[in-house]
Amino acid sequence: MDLGIYTESADIYDDFELRGKGTSDITNQKIIDILEKNSVKTVLDMSCGTGAQAIALARHGFDVTASDLSREMIEITKTKSKGLAIQFNVGDMQYLDLGKFDAVISMFNSIGHLTKEQLFKTLVNAKKNLSKNGLLIFDIFNRDVMPLLPRHKFIDQAREESNQFLIRFTQFDFSRPEGILNTKQTLLIQKGIGKTKTINREYDLLTYKRKELKFMLGEAGYHNVHISDHGLADFADLENPLVNMLMHLVVAIKLD
């Protein structure tokens, strides 16, 4: 995984990816509902980023361990979570060995940055960190919908917050045979009438069909695999059927 896109922009991650909120209420409630239904008490967030899920779960009373490959992201999560009893770790989710948890989560398409081989290794490794009949929860882009995304450059954000102007241009290119979504972005940040800061970034995300995910999870030792549409509900138009199909939400149970 290329850390560069997150290391360089860790301090503005919440501004752009979380619309300045620092959390994601709809997604978090969906996860909380699943965890409570399965009597989960301990949770490992293996790609916590700036803590959108880890902090919300800790506030709700779960025993949370937050891990991320980016030390910069972890430091932001620590600052945002002062007063909460969260355990922190810097590490690669392919190799984490942090104990046994009732649930392991990875949200906001973090695993989409992995190759297929890395994803399979991560699924197997997540199982090692799960208690008997533990839950794995993650989300990832739905390959079947990718051809419908626009190919032109468009503005996906333009906001003003606390005398700071934020604009982001995005352009997608989808390779159907490999299922790779290439994303090019230009981020513009201006405070007051100060000089504009420009960040250009480009990254690839792997996308999957339901059938592929179910097969891979079965091979990795999971059963009762449930895949639903997440729809990026926190950040997009809930009435748009395309948006509602963009993201798979996957819940799988460790097979002992």
Side-chain angles (χ1 to χ4, degrees):
M1 181 188 296
D2 180 13
L3 266 183
I5 62 171
Y6 296 112
T7 298
E8 183 182 9
S9 57
D11 61 331
I12 56 170
Y13 180 89
D14 284 1
D15 292 326
F16 282 97
E17 305 303 334
L18 298 174
R19 275 38 175 194
K21 296 191 306 177
T23 189
S24 47
D25 296 335
I26 300 175
T27 298
N28 292 341
Q29 189 58 55
K30 189 183 293 285
I31 295 171
I32 288 168
D33 290 344
I34 295 169
L35 298 182
E36 290 186 332
K37 182 180 179 181
N38 290 274
S39 301
V40 166
K41 298 188 182 308
T42 58
V43 181
L44 168 61
D45 187 342
M46 61 181 177
S47 55
C48 70
T50 58
Q53 279 69 55
I55 293 172
L57 295 180
R59 284 179 176 156
H60 200 77
F62 294 99
D63 182 350
V64 176
T65 297
S67 181
D68 201 275
L69 188 57
S70 167
R71 187 174 299 277
E72 290 80 5
M73 292 286 202
I74 287 288
E75 291 303 318
I76 291 172
T77 304
K78 285 182 179 180
T79 300
K80 289 166 58 178
S81 65
K82 283 186 177 175
L84 294 174
I86 299 176
Q87 301 297 314
F88 292 98
N89 177 75
V90 177
D92 189 327
M93 56 185 163
Q94 298 176 73
Y95 309 106
L96 295 179
D97 183 11
L98 300 176
K100 295 293 184 181
F101 300 85
D102 299 330
V104 172
I105 68 171
S106 176
M107 304 306 295
F108 290 163
N109 203 37
S110 294
I111 62 173
H113 291 281
L114 304 174
T115 65
K116 284 187 177 180
E117 293 76 16
Q118 290 171 335
L119 174 55
F120 185 76
K121 186 181 293 185
T122 297
L123 296 177
V124 171
N125 190 62
K127 191 177 67 159
K128 294 178 183 176
N129 288 270
L130 280 171
S131 303
K132 183 177 181 180
N133 295 322
L135 296 178
L136 172 64
I137 303 174
F138 64 90
D139 58 11
I140 194 162
F141 275 128
N142 177 357
R143 182 182 295 183
D144 287 329
V145 182
M146 295 300 104
L148 302 179
L149 290 176
R151 294 295 179 266
H152 57 270
K153 182 184 290 188
F154 61 95
I155 298 173
D156 71 348
Q157 283 203 58
R159 303 188 345 270
E160 178 185 0
E161 288 186 4
S162 303
N163 201 33
Q164 179 172 251
F165 300 91
L166 306 161
I167 300 174
R168 184 169 70 185
F169 295 88
T170 296
Q171 185 166 13
F172 296 123
D173 185 28
F174 180 62
S175 174
R176 191 186 295 265
E178 295 85 10
I180 297 174
L181 180 67
N182 176 262
T183 303
K184 295 184 178 72
Q185 293 180 320
T186 299
L187 287 63
L188 305 177
I189 307 102
Q190 179 178 300
K191 293 186 178 181
I193 58 172
K195 197 172 183 179
T196 301
K197 178 181 179 181
T198 302
I199 297 176
N200 293 302
R201 63 188 191 184
E202 180 178 357
Y203 53 91
D204 290 333
L205 296 168
L206 259 66
T207 65
Y208 292 86
K209 295 175 179 285
R210 278 181 169 79
K211 182 170 66 175
E212 293 177 282
L213 289 171
K214 285 191 173 182
F215 177 79
M216 190 179 294
L217 285 158
E219 290 291 296
Y222 295 88
H223 67 150
N224 287 2
V225 177
H226 178 68
I227 301 176
S228 63
D229 294 327
H230 171 243
L232 301 174
D234 287 280
F235 315 119
D237 180 4
L238 293 177
E239 301 303 318
N240 187 327
L242 168 61
V243 171
N244 289 337
M245 294 187 295
L246 277 175
M247 187 78 76
H248 290 311
L249 177 63
V250 181
V251 181
I253 300 176
K254 173 184 175 182
L255 180 62
D256 285 293

